[in-house]
Amino acid sequence: MNAETVVVTVYTKPSCPQCRMTYLALDKKGIRYESVDVTTSPAALEYITEELGYSQAPVVVVDDENHWSGFRPDKIDQVAAALAAAGH
């Protein structure tokens, strides 16, 4: 993984404290992310609820195998460690 090209997607909603905490933790670790507001994107809402099975924001998607819901600093640490191990 290249830290410059890795983009984590954070599915979010307005006024979400756990979403803000997730952004701060990603920023602190230097992990690039894209934010998608599920209240303005029906396709994104359907993806996280129907395909991934989540009902709580944020939903963080690293790849098809690595995703979670809620503020999970442990998971963010794992992503940062994987990037560091890959030399990025």
Side-chain angles (χ1 to χ4, degrees):
M1 288 192 284
N2 182 322
E4 293 302 311
T5 59
V6 171
V7 176
V8 173
T9 304
V10 181
Y11 294 92
T12 184
K13 62 182 183 178
S15 302
C16 168
Q18 290 195 38
C19 300
R20 283 193 300 276
M21 291 167 49
T22 297
Y23 298 148
L24 290 172
L26 290 168
D27 288 341
K28 185 176 179 182
K29 296 291 184 179
I31 299 170
R32 292 183 53 215
Y33 60 90
E34 174 184 21
S35 177
V36 177
D37 184 343
V38 298
T39 66
T40 61
S41 174
L45 180 60
E46 182 178 341
Y47 172 67
I48 66 164
T49 58
E50 301 301 320
E51 290 188 41
L52 298 181
Y54 294 116
S55 60
Q56 173 187 346
V59 173
V60 180
V61 177
V62 178
D63 56 38
D64 289 340
E65 313 296 313
N66 190 0
H67 46 80
W68 65 87
S69 175
F71 176 55
R72 294 288 306 272
D74 58 322
K75 296 284 192 179
I76 294 168
D77 288 347
Q78 289 174 3
V79 172
L83 288 170
H88 303 288

